[in-house]
Amino acid sequence: MLEVQNLEKVFKKKAAVDHINLYIEKGESVGLLGPNGAGKSTTISMISTLLHPTNGRVQFYGKDVFEDARDIRSKMGVVPQEIALYEELSALENLQFFGKIHGLRGQILKEKIQETLGLVGLKDRQKDPVKDYSGGMKRRVNLAVALLHDPELLIMDEPTVGIDPQSRNYILEMIRKLNKEKQLTVLYTSHYMEEVEKLCDRVYIMDHGQVVASGTNEELRSILSNEETIEVKVKQTSEAFKEKLLEHPSVNQVIAAEGSYTLIVTNSEQLLVQLFEYAEESSMSILGIQIKKPTLEDVFLHLTGRTLRD
């Protein structure tokens, strides 16, 4: 359905997106993972025809999206990172406005609005001003706007940022249901690894404008198939402790966070005894240790050297 070829976007001589390639088959749910500044939103803007690339192509069913942007936009629904609604208007009035932009009129528009409000669970609040809604409710109206014209491809740019857990779960369950039951194709960007693991068939990991890995969750986890992850909880972090860990032959990666270290290792048994020795030498206390199989988050750590929300 969608193919991105050698896509590049340069701002002030710096590549925000650096010659990336990706594809999406009809009916797939595909994740685009990356920390702030990775190039996700710029990529989304080019795919949805809002931003022209410096180089490369975006094709939708074999057609260049910029040759007939109006026709392509009618087949895409976009949920932007920021709330894009008229807050003085009600949800109903917002949907009437955006529905008319998509060419919907009369009874068809009325039916689609009620159907979409039902999907996002806001029928009972449809006449209230959007300014009186919670953040999660506003996000759901944003989603309703994107679904109103029955798009073939739904593009979601971090749609759950800053919302309550209930609205977040509601959105995730609804998208998964639309994808599985109605074969709605989804491109989903997020800071939250668990969302992508829950929703997506395949994942592209971006960092510094490039795709650094791609595949199914299982394929990506296999990158660290011979390794383990050790979570070390500490009272306080120590640069000396981190340096000692990095010198150990079994340790491949060390990520320090407040009150903890994440280690990616090839042989945990070799390291465990020395962890306490290193802590004592560094005048620090270990509060707890957990050994686990690598997760998608650990793969991301391994590939980028930072956590997803850095």
Side-chain angles (χ1 to χ4, degrees):
M1 174 185 276
L2 182 81
E3 187 172 9
V4 171
Q5 301 170 337
N6 209 31
L7 197 64
E8 179 189 36
K9 185 62 182 179
V10 176
F11 296 107
K12 296 181 180 179
K13 298 184 179 180
K14 183 177 180 180
V17 174
D18 190 4
H19 298 92
I20 69 167
N21 295 279
L22 61 86
Y23 71 92
I24 304 174
E25 301 282 4
K26 183 173 174 58
E28 271 194 311
S29 181
V30 173
L32 193 58
L33 274 175
N36 285 331
K40 304 186 307 297
S41 292
T42 303
T43 300
I44 291 296
S45 294
M46 289 188 283
I47 289 173
S48 57
T49 77
L50 299 177
L51 189 64
H52 278 258
T54 305
N55 288 297
R57 300 178 71 189
V58 180
Q59 291 184 303
F60 189 72
Y61 286 121
K63 293 174 63 176
D64 190 297
V65 299
F66 295 101
E67 288 180 2
D68 192 355
R70 186 181 182 88
D71 179 59
I72 298 298
R73 287 172 186 167
S74 71
K75 297 178 175 64
M76 292 183 182
V78 180
V79 182
Q81 193 173 122
E82 302 296 329
I83 301 294
L85 300 169
Y86 293 101
E87 298 223 344
E88 296 298 321
L89 301 181
S90 66
L92 176 63
E93 290 166 334
N94 269 280
L95 290 171
Q96 287 171 337
F97 174 79
F98 287 108
K100 287 175 181 177
I101 287 177
H102 284 296
L104 300 175
R105 296 288 186 275
Q107 190 61 30
I108 292 175
L109 176 58
K110 289 180 182 179
E111 289 173 1
K112 286 305 301 176
I113 287 173
Q114 292 308 309
E115 178 188 330
T116 309
L117 284 169
L119 272 176
V120 299
L122 289 174
K123 269 191 172 184
D124 60 334
R125 297 286 304 272
Q126 61 182 287
K127 293 185 178 180
D128 295 350
V130 167
K131 66 182 180 181
D132 295 339
Y133 287 3
S134 68
M137 290 169 68
K138 290 176 183 178
R139 289 278 178 189
R140 285 192 263 165
V141 180
N142 237 21
L143 179 54
V145 169
L147 292 170
L148 192 58
H149 60 294
D150 285 328
E152 295 182 49
L153 172 64
L154 180 65
I155 300 172
M156 308 184 74
D157 192 3
E158 299 186 17
T160 63
V161 171
I163 66 173
D164 59 278
Q166 184 180 5
S167 289
R168 184 175 175 228
N169 289 335
Y170 192 102
I171 288 172
L172 294 177
E173 287 300 326
M174 184 182 60
I175 296 307
R176 184 163 67 172
K177 187 174 180 180
L178 288 171
N179 172 246
K180 299 303 179 188
E181 294 181 7
K182 295 194 174 183
Q183 291 296 293
L184 177 65
T185 308
V186 178
L187 176 59
Y188 192 94
T189 83
S190 182
H191 270 112
Y192 301 107
M193 190 71 72
E194 64 273 19
E195 291 184 358
V196 171
E197 288 185 297
K198 185 174 184 178
L199 286 179
C200 299
D201 305 309
R202 290 188 301 112
V203 179
Y204 289 89
I205 296 177
M206 285 189 73
D207 193 35
H208 299 298
Q210 297 180 325
V211 172
V212 295
S214 65
T216 64
N217 291 335
E218 291 73 22
E219 287 168 344
L220 289 171
R221 286 194 194 97
S222 72
I223 293 172
L224 296 179
S225 60
N226 296 320
E227 296 172 286
E228 294 174 306
T229 299
I230 302 178
E231 297 283 350
V232 184
K233 300 291 183 183
V234 295
K235 275 191 176 180
Q236 74 286 328
T237 56
S238 160
E239 194 59 34
F241 181 65
K242 182 178 178 180
E243 288 175 4
K244 290 178 184 293
L245 291 173
L246 287 170
E247 290 171 2
H248 195 284
S250 294
V251 176
N252 300 322
Q253 194 102 22
V254 179
I255 303 295
E258 187 175 349
S260 71
Y261 290 90
T262 300
L263 320 179
I264 297 176
V265 304
T266 50
N267 190 330
S268 60
E269 290 181 9
Q270 278 189 10
L271 180 63
L272 286 176
V273 174
Q274 284 161 297
L275 274 176
F276 291 94
E277 293 176 2
Y278 292 162
E280 187 175 352
E281 291 168 9
S282 305
S283 301
M284 57 175 287
S285 300
I286 291 178
L287 302 177
I289 294 174
Q290 182 181 11
I291 303 172
K292 58 183 183 178
K293 289 295 182 183
T295 64
L296 203 53
E297 182 91 43
D298 298 325
V299 174
F300 188 89
L301 266 171
H302 174 72
L303 292 170
T304 68
R306 50 186 173 154
T307 62
L308 188 57
R309 292 188 263 289
D310 281 350

